[in-house]
Amino acid sequence: MTQEAELLERITVRPEIFGGKPVIRDMRIAVEHVLANLAAGESVDDLLKNYPFLEREDIQACLLFAHRTLAGEQVHDRISVRAAS
């Protein structure tokens, strides 16, 4: 498995979490939230301090997801989509 594939495995989609928006490792933190904080100037180290359950690879996964999505790739078929439990 490639490093990119391993990173994208951290992004999950579950209908019952934020209406099916991509989140990190089934937690209640959306990819878009992490990206918004980075766009607002927050550093990776600040994010890791403010959200101690996050790992550096989670942030890398968010950036990779955004990059691949904007590049027009079909990323959703490479992330984990889980049915409602």
Side-chain angles (χ1 to χ4, degrees):
M1 184 176 291
T2 68
Q3 181 184 7
E4 283 193 4
E6 289 175 3
L7 286 173
L8 287 175
E9 278 189 357
R10 291 173 171 270
I11 308 299
T12 58
V13 172
R14 294 183 64 151
E16 71 273 19
I17 299 175
F18 295 141
K21 289 184 177 184
V23 297
I24 301 167
R25 292 185 287 126
D26 284 336
M27 297 185 290
R28 291 194 167 277
I29 184 160
V31 169
E32 69 181 81
H33 181 75
V34 171
L35 295 172
N37 280 284
L38 291 170
E42 197 166 342
S43 72
V44 171
D45 289 333
D46 287 340
L47 273 171
L48 294 172
K49 184 172 71 175
N50 294 334
Y51 301 94
F53 52 86
L54 283 181
E55 299 171 1
R56 191 166 297 274
E57 291 82 5
D58 295 329
I59 298 168
Q60 283 182 275
C62 291
L63 293 169
L64 177 61
F65 179 84
H67 168 72
R68 294 292 182 216
T69 300
L70 287 172
E73 295 181 22
Q74 294 295 323
V75 180
H76 285 279
D77 61 356
R78 296 167 53 190
I79 62 174
S80 180
V81 178
R82 297 188 173 103
S85 45

